[in-house]
Amino acid sequence: RDVACKDSYHTAERILDLGAGDCDDMVILLNSLLQSVGFKTGARIITSSPERGFHHIYSLVFVQGKGWYAADPTDKAHEFGEEPYWVSKKDFVFECEG
């Protein structure tokens, strides 16, 4: 668990060792795996309420010739490519070359 009111970040190897993690841990792990096989990745932070501030992050993967797709390893309600419907604010936070 993160320390109260602070995010902690681990390497992909550490997340695998722990066998668990929150949304930012899973973005690190998924993006590391995707980059290792040549995909360009990014991430998006989102919120359901602008007053609440950002409270979730998920991966983005660039599929050549198709564009960016959402890939949220912690959200079983949405399939690959589906963005959450409840989002009121979102931001593309980074892009990394694989």
Side-chain angles (χ1 to χ4, degrees), residues 5-95:
C5 299
K6 302 229 184 232
D7 273 330
S8 57
Y9 303 101
H10 305 286
T11 64
E13 182 178 15
R14 179 72 176 133
I15 296 165
L16 289 171
D17 288 342
L18 291 170
D22 60 10
C23 59
D24 50 53
D25 293 321
M26 294 302 121
V27 166
I28 291 167
L29 179 58
L30 180 58
N31 285 7
S32 295
L33 292 169
L34 288 167
Q35 289 173 24
S36 76
V37 293
F39 284 95
K40 187 184 328 183
T41 64
R44 178 165 283 146
I45 54 174
I46 59 174
T47 186
S48 58
S49 167
E51 298 81 34
R52 183 175 177 193
F54 291 111
H55 69 275
H56 186 60
I57 187 169
Y58 56 88
S59 296
L60 296 169
V61 58
F62 187 80
V63 178
Q64 193 67 32
K66 301 283 185 180
W68 289 99
Y69 287 83
D72 191 338
T74 64
D75 181 359
K76 294 179 181 165
H78 296 91
E79 295 189 24
F80 178 79
E82 291 183 332
E83 303 260 359
Y85 66 88
W86 50 264
V87 175
S88 70
K89 185 176 179 186
K90 63 184 177 180
D91 194 12
F92 190 92
V93 291
F94 66 83
E95 179 181 329

